Amino acid sequence: MPILKSFLKDGEAESYQNVQVKFVPGRKAIMTIYESDDDDEEEGEEESWVEKEQIVLSDYKTKDEMHALMVEKGFQLKSPEEVEAIQQQYKDEAEAERTKAEERREEMRIRREEMQRQREEKMMEDARAEVEGGGDGSSGGVSMGGLNRDGGVIVDDDDSSDDSSSDDDGSSDGSEDNEAKTDAKEEL
């Protein structure tokens, strides 16, 4: 099929006189040969065409076979200048199509990058809002929490001025702080 596609799309079929190629996606490549119906033609009327024959082009495996078919059916090559102009036109159209496809790919790449950047910004905003607002919007007494390098829980408690764990002299033995960290770690 690549040979047939090339024969049709690169302008080789249309390098013959009175040949037009019409692409119908999803259908077999069929060459329909029409013949002029001169019997019905009167002076001043348009020429009418009658279908004479249909040939399935996929039955031909090489370009040489396809060219031989065209000659066998009575088609004559256009002049070398006309053939060159047709082939140049097809090359130009193919190049324009490639350029257009590259531009579409580039636009899609830029859109994907923009969407990724927006998702990342949204995630950062959400994370900042959670940190600043305490997660669900209520402070709950804890403004921030996390794990330290040793795997222990770090809790920044708003009630850090509470003296309940201090001795009479204002010093703390730290045992209650350790118990709070252990409890918090178990909750996680």
Side-chain angles (χ1 to χ4, degrees), residues 5-16 19-23 78 82-98:
K5 185 175 182 179
S6 172
F7 182 76
L8 297 173
K9 288 202 166 209
D10 293 343
E12 288 185 62
E14 290 183 311
S15 64
Y16 290 90
V19 173
Q20 293 178 342
V21 176
K22 178 182 175 186
F23 294 98
K78 294 178 179 176
E82 289 176 302
V83 171
E84 188 177 324
I86 291 169
Q87 290 176 343
Q88 186 61 46
Q89 176 187 350
Y90 276 93
K91 285 178 186 176
D92 292 346
E93 288 172 0
E95 181 61 31
E97 201 49 47
R98 276 191 294 278

Side-chain angles (χ1 to χ4, degrees), residues 65-186:
E65 290 176 354
M66 292 175 208
H67 284 288
L69 170 68
M70 300 299 281
V71 171
E72 176 188 322
K73 297 301 176 183
F75 295 100
Q76 295 177 352
L77 276 174
K78 294 178 179 176
S79 71
E81 294 81 20
E82 289 176 302
V83 171
E84 188 177 324
I86 291 169
Q87 290 176 343
Q88 186 61 46
Q89 176 187 350
Y90 276 93
K91 285 178 186 176
D92 292 346
E93 288 172 0
E95 181 61 31
E97 201 49 47
R98 276 191 294 278
T99 301
K100 202 174 184 182
E102 288 174 11
E103 289 171 356
R104 283 192 302 262
R105 281 191 295 272
E106 181 65 13
E107 287 173 8
M108 293 302 293
R109 184 190 63 78
I110 290 169
R111 278 191 213 149
R112 282 192 305 272
E113 287 176 358
E114 179 64 19
M115 290 172 64
Q116 179 65 27
R117 186 188 61 74
Q118 288 174 352
R119 280 193 297 269
E120 289 171 358
E121 285 178 2
K122 174 88 169 102
M123 288 173 44
M124 292 298 289
E125 288 174 16
D126 291 349
R128 257 188 247 114
E130 188 172 321
V131 167
E132 292 170 0
D136 62 356
S138 63
S139 65
V142 177
S143 61
M144 189 166 174
L147 296 177
N148 66 15
R149 287 188 215 155
D150 300 328
V153 176
I154 302 171
V155 177
D156 182 14
D157 192 351
D158 287 341
D159 298 328
S160 59
S161 61
D162 187 12
D163 290 340
S164 62
S165 62
S166 299
D167 291 338
D168 290 336
D169 62 354
S171 65
S172 172
D173 64 359
S175 62
E176 288 183 17
D177 286 340
N178 287 338
E179 288 175 17
K181 287 180 184 177
T182 303
D183 290 343
K185 188 174 181 181
E186 289 173 2

